[in-house]
């Protein structure tokens, strides 16, 4: 009996060693290991296993038209590279990906109907609810994924992003453009004191901030969400705790339209022009405010479920 148990133990150790060596070899070639159904079941699901695995379930093939998957994959690659080339890299954590077109059976096995999805498969036991990353609420930025991984595995990953000089170049171009404009108009700088110009600039900043652009910058949400089953694209997030980038653009345009309506109403009330023209301006302004505010309120109701009030549009 003891010899049989020892043989089983040795076989288990040899199998574990073989699996770890294979995962390390794949990781040495690519930071993110691509897996099909067979590889997933053998190296992620089946015991023995003394390492944690982060799996991104996605659909990257062009025919799937999943722009969110491509964006999430870029962030995932940044995170995996940060781990692979850090001094703390070990065989205790591996990054893998299962594409729908290479492992549809895995999606069916896990009853998964959306992509991208990030899951953590712990070294011991089955994944719990917290082992599925809350993509809709948190977004898929590498830093957010790293915090989630640290919480689930105690592995700290410092994210290193490749240098991006686009911001510096854009700033240099802007400074050059403004400097060139000031130089050309050096003999007539009255436009600097133009109240309308400064008001428009201030409104642009206000629209950007109130539409959630800063939240997008911090959380890194997807532009929109496409359901892989029916192909339907959602531009408005269904929860009050998150938003899509497209949603912030829509809110920005609605706020701008409402503001334009208020400006027209003010113009109609304060100008001293023809009464008929002022009446038309008033009606146009009122129409803009009423319609687009109703649209904005309907979006608010769709996100805050149970909100009782509506106006024109439900």
């Amino acid at each position: 009996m003891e010899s049989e148990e020892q043989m089983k133990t040795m076989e288990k150790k040899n199998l574990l060693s073989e699996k770890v060596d294979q995962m390390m070899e794949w990781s040495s070639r690519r930071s993110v290991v691509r897996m099909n159904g067979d590889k997933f079941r053998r190296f992620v699901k089946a015991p023995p296993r003394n390492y944690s695995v982060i799996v991104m379930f996605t659909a990257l093939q062009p025919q799937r038209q999943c722009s969110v998957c491509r964006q999430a994959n870029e962030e995932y690659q940044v995170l995996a590279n940060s781990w692979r080339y850090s001094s703390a890299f070990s065989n205790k954590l591996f990054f893998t990906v299962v594409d729908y077109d290479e492992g549809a059976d895995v999606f069916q096995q896990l009853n998964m109907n959306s992509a991208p999805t990030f899951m953590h498969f712990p070294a011991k036991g089955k994944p719990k609810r917290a082992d599925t990353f809350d993509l809709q609420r948190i977004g898929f930025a590498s830093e957010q994924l790293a915090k989630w991984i640290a919480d689930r595995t105690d592995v700290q990953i410092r994210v290193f992003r490749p240098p991006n000089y686009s911001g510096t170049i854009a700033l240099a171009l802007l400074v050059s453009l403004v400097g060139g404009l000031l130089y050309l108009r050096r003999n007539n700088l009255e436009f600097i004191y133009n109240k309308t110009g400064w008001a428009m600039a201030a409104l642009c900043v206000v629209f950007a901030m109130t539409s959630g652009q800063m939240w997008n910058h911090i959380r890194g949400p997807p532009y929109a969400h496409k359901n892989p089953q029916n192909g339907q694209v959602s531009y408005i997030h269904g929860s009050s705790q998150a938003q899509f980038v497209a949603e912030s653009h829509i809110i920005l345009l609605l706020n701008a339209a409402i503001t334009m309506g208020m400006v027209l109403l003010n113009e109609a009330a304060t100008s001293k022009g023809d009464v008929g023209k002022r009446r038309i301006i008033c009606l146009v302004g009122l129409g803009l405010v009423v319609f687009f505010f109703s649209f904005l309120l309907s979006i608010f109701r769709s996100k805050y479920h149970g909100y009782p009030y509506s106006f024109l549009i439900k």
Side-chain angles (χ1 to χ4, degrees):
M1 290 292 293
E2 291 184 3
S3 60
E4 290 182 1
E5 290 180 359
Q6 290 177 353
M7 288 181 64
K8 290 181 179 180
T9 302
M10 287 297 296
E11 289 178 359
K12 187 176 180 180
K13 287 183 178 180
N14 291 335
L15 179 58
L16 177 60
S17 177
E18 180 184 341
K19 292 172 68 173
V20 172
D21 290 343
Q22 183 64 73
M23 291 294 288
M24 288 294 290
E25 180 184 347
W26 285 334
S27 295
S28 65
R29 299 174 185 173
R30 289 184 176 181
S31 299
V32 177
V33 180
R34 298 189 67 89
M35 289 195 164
N36 54 25
D38 293 335
K39 288 182 179 179
F40 175 81
R41 283 183 285 272
R42 181 183 177 190
F43 292 94
V44 178
K45 292 284 289 182
R49 183 162 50 83
N50 63 353
Y51 51 85
S52 295
V53 183
I54 306 298
V55 184
M56 179 178 73
F57 299 94
T58 187
L60 294 173
Q61 296 302 317
Q63 65 268 23
R64 300 298 174 186
Q65 298 181 351
C66 182
S67 59
V68 179
C69 295
R70 291 191 292 272
Q71 297 170 14
N73 182 62
E74 292 176 1
E75 291 294 311
Y76 191 59
Q77 293 287 343
V78 169
L79 179 62
N81 287 332
S82 299
W83 168 242
R84 173 64 184 83
Y85 297 106
S86 70
S87 58
F89 176 72
S90 68
N91 58 8
K92 298 302 180 183
L93 177 66
F94 296 101
F95 288 85
T96 66
V97 61
V98 176
D99 193 286
Y100 181 81
D101 291 283
E102 298 174 1
D105 53 334
V106 177
F107 279 73
Q108 295 174 359
Q109 180 183 349
L110 298 176
N111 294 321
M112 194 170 296
N113 55 16
S114 63
T117 299
F118 298 93
M119 285 189 65
H120 164 242
F121 291 84
K124 296 180 180 179
K126 297 182 178 180
K128 301 178 181 178
R129 184 175 182 180
D131 286 309
T132 299
F133 183 67
D134 193 348
L135 179 70
Q136 302 297 334
R137 185 176 65 87
I138 304 176
F140 49 70
S142 299
E143 291 77 9
Q144 299 298 330
L145 286 168
K147 290 180 181 178
W148 169 67
I149 291 173
D151 180 60
R152 304 310 303 164
T153 66
D154 293 328
V155 174
Q156 303 291 333
I157 303 176
R158 183 180 177 184
V159 177
F160 292 94
R161 293 184 177 276
N164 185 354
Y165 300 107
S166 59
T168 304
I169 294 174
L171 180 61
L173 289 174
L174 178 62
V175 171
S176 301
L177 180 63
V178 172
L181 181 62
L182 292 175
Y183 179 77
L184 293 174
R185 299 290 299 272
R186 61 187 181 278
N187 297 323
N188 183 13
L189 298 178
E190 292 182 2
F191 70 95
I192 294 179
Y193 304 100
N194 188 303
K195 294 182 179 179
T196 303
W198 286 110
M200 293 294 292
L203 281 175
C204 289
V205 174
V206 171
F207 291 152
M209 294 299 104
T210 55
S211 65
Q213 295 295 335
M214 186 57 69
W215 192 93
N216 293 342
H217 179 73
I218 295 172
R219 295 296 183 89
Y223 187 82
H225 175 71
K226 183 175 183 179
N227 191 317
Q229 290 186 324
N230 54 27
Q232 184 178 0
V233 180
S234 300
Y235 298 103
I236 305 296
H237 198 285
S239 170
S240 61
Q241 302 298 318
Q243 69 176 19
F244 298 130
V245 174
E247 180 179 337
S248 63
H249 294 167
I250 294 171
I251 299 300
L252 187 151
L253 293 175
L254 292 178
N255 286 335
I258 294 170
T259 302
M260 176 60 69
M262 294 300 296
V263 170
L264 292 177
L265 286 173
N266 179 73
E267 182 69 18
T270 58
S271 65
K272 298 180 180 180
D274 179 68
V275 176
K277 184 178 179 181
R278 290 170 59 188
R279 185 178 291 113
I280 293 175
I281 294 175
C282 178
L283 291 175
V284 172
L286 184 62
L288 287 174
V289 172
V290 170
F291 177 77
F292 288 106
F293 179 76
S294 177
F295 194 6
L296 187 65
L297 190 60
S298 69
I299 294 176
F300 185 84
R301 290 188 74 232
S302 69
K303 294 178 69 66
Y304 289 82
H305 304 287
Y307 185 76
Y309 305 108
S310 63
F311 184 62
L312 294 184
I313 302 175
K314 294 184 180 181

